[in-house]
Amino acid sequence: MSDSDMNLKQPILEVKDLKQHFPIESGLLLKKQVGAVRAVDGISFDLLPGETLGIVGESGCGKSTTVRAISQLYTPTSGSVILNGLDLINASKKETLEARKDMQMIFQDPYASLDPRMTVRTIIAEPLEIYKRRGMLDTQMSRNDIENRVEELMERVGLNRAFKNRYPHEFSGGQRQRIGIARALALNPKIILADEPVSALDVSIQSQILNLLHELQQELGLTYIFIAHDLAVIEYISTRVAVMYLGKIMELSRAADPYKNPLHPYTKALLSAAPIPDPVIERKRQRIILTGDVPSPNVERHGCYFYDRCPSRMAKCKENIPQMKRVDEHHEVACFLYE
């Protein structure tokens, strides 16, 4: 999708100041909240139709929690998640369930995300059965229609329809992830939230799944939020990239920009830690070694979240939280260095 096309489109999803805090309680009987884990601590972005927003960051930065809060698998602490004009956080259960037909998830672990007691047919058909019972399908599907839909989806993701009565343990990891993708497509969603869908797979299988996701996006006009910690995967599949640290977005730009022109000190450190296959370049490049440990997400912060480890920190960073600043038309960064 070209930049001009993106500029003309209205967002299909708007996330505004989203927070997901998990309470910390003490006591066995009379539980009292003594703090909170600030897994996601106020992030905002728009998602345009047909694009892929990649979210990258080290483990524990809040990537997976973000997509689970957006999909309402978690109940967000505050903020807004607006899908097609409906704020899912403040909507009724019926409105949310109806809206969630347009937004489905692919989970990280293909071994844990499929019920071992259910056949492939039952797994893929389950979303259709649930929405049929609630009278929320656009057309009331017959049993034959559901069977045909399951077989169509299996073939679309590269599985033999003859295997529909088999159980998940009879498939490899890559095949199980294909089952998860077929299940996510069952209700014809507009948005797919992919939570590290290739991280548990062998490298050769990763490329097959990434190519499948790209083909499905082209064929069905899908919009993705794609979570990963592998920078090469994010660069390959994304239209835009958001770099997260400690529950905050530090940098948001087109996919190529963080690799060619990283702005935030954390983005630079993240890129310097990623190996380069060219041994000559690898020997010459300068590594950015961050000092200290990742701070605890239990602590409320009044300054820059990256202050403790930042090699470019200034006095004002300790007491003030930098807001996202637009550096150019497609590049935003939360850093006082660019004021």
Side-chain angles (χ1 to χ4, degrees):
M1 182 167 43
S2 67
D3 293 339
S4 58
D5 289 340
M6 289 177 65
N7 291 335
L8 292 172
K9 292 188 176 183
Q10 295 297 314
I12 188 174
L13 179 73
E14 299 172 75
V15 177
K16 299 180 179 178
D17 197 28
L18 181 66
K19 295 183 180 180
Q20 184 69 62
H21 297 174
F22 298 103
I24 301 172
E25 297 176 333
S26 66
L28 294 175
L29 299 176
L30 298 174
K31 291 188 176 181
K32 179 181 178 182
Q33 185 171 337
V34 294
V37 176
R38 301 167 186 274
V40 178
D41 208 16
I43 66 171
S44 302
F45 60 84
D46 293 339
L47 188 65
L48 300 176
E51 77 167 339
T52 299
L53 175 66
I55 302 181
V56 67
E58 58 194 320
S59 297
C61 72
K63 305 185 299 296
S64 295
T65 305
T66 295
V67 291
R68 287 169 182 262
I70 290 171
S71 67
Q72 308 301 296
L73 289 178
Y74 295 151
T75 301
T77 305
S78 64
S80 299
V81 177
I82 302 171
L83 175 63
N84 293 327
L86 176 70
D87 186 352
L88 300 182
I89 294 177
N90 298 312
S92 67
K93 288 185 178 180
K94 184 178 180 181
E95 288 175 325
T96 300
L97 189 64
E98 180 74 35
R100 280 175 57 187
K101 281 196 302 183
D102 286 338
M103 186 166 60
Q104 297 292 310
M105 275 197 71
I106 302 169
F107 295 92
Q108 176 179 0
D109 189 347
Y111 295 89
S113 61
L114 305 178
D115 191 329
R117 298 165 297 179
M118 295 168 65
T119 63
V120 171
R121 182 261 171 216
T122 311
I123 289 168
I124 298 174
E126 186 177 30
L128 296 167
E129 300 280 7
I130 290 171
Y131 276 86
K132 180 183 176 181
R133 285 198 301 270
R134 294 175 178 265
M136 290 183 176
L137 290 180
D138 294 336
T139 57
Q140 286 301 312
M141 301 181 76
S142 67
R143 189 173 186 85
N144 265 347
D145 292 333
I146 291 177
E147 290 294 327
N148 291 337
R149 177 66 173 157
V150 168
E151 293 179 359
E152 174 200 338
L153 287 167
M154 289 185 69
E155 292 196 342
R156 176 160 264 171
V157 301
L159 293 170
N160 191 325
R161 64 170 65 191
F163 297 161
K164 68 179 182 180
N165 292 316
R166 294 188 178 184
Y167 290 87
H169 73 269
E170 299 179 76
F171 294 88
S172 66
Q175 289 174 322
R176 292 187 202 191
Q177 198 59 290
R178 290 174 189 269
I179 296 168
I181 293 170
R183 176 178 58 186
L185 295 175
L187 293 169
N188 289 317
K190 296 175 182 176
I191 300 173
I192 296 288
L193 308 177
D195 182 12
E196 300 203 39
V198 298
S199 64
L201 306 175
D202 293 338
V203 174
S204 60
I205 306 301
Q206 286 184 12
S207 61
Q208 294 176 22
I209 297 298
L210 290 172
N211 289 334
L212 172 63
L213 291 172
H214 183 70
E215 289 166 10
L216 291 170
Q217 185 174 41
Q218 300 301 311
E219 291 174 15
L220 304 176
L222 295 170
T223 303
Y224 291 145
I225 295 180
F226 194 97
I227 305 296
H229 58 260
D230 188 324
L231 292 164
V233 168
I234 287 290
E235 184 180 19
Y236 171 75
I237 201 166
S238 300
T239 310
R240 287 191 299 150
V241 176
V243 180
M244 279 191 75
Y245 180 78
L246 212 62
K248 280 280 195 185
I249 291 180
M250 298 286 136
E251 192 165 345
L252 181 63
S253 68
R254 291 175 300 189
D257 290 344
Y259 302 89
K260 294 179 180 177
N261 181 33
L263 298 181
H264 199 281
Y266 175 64
T267 308
K268 294 177 181 178
L270 204 61
L271 286 167
S272 82
I276 294 176
D278 188 325
V280 176
I281 298 176
E282 180 70 19
R283 280 195 298 268
K284 290 181 179 178
R285 71 177 179 144
Q286 185 177 359
R287 291 290 180 94
I288 300 173
I289 307 299
L290 296 178
T291 58
D293 297 324
V294 179
S296 170
N298 305 354
V299 179
E300 183 177 3
R301 302 191 166 272
H302 303 286
C304 176
Y305 284 41
F306 191 53
Y307 176 83
D308 294 334
R309 305 175 75 197
C310 183
S312 305
R313 63 191 177 204
M314 301 177 285
K316 66 186 302 183
C317 304
K318 188 173 184 179
E319 303 297 334
N320 301 279
I321 299 176
Q323 302 303 308
M324 292 294 285
K325 175 180 174 58
R326 190 173 293 278
V327 178
D328 62 38
E329 186 180 0
H330 303 288
H331 207 150
E332 299 176 62
V333 63
C335 184
F336 289 124
L337 292 172
Y338 300 95
E339 284 195 328

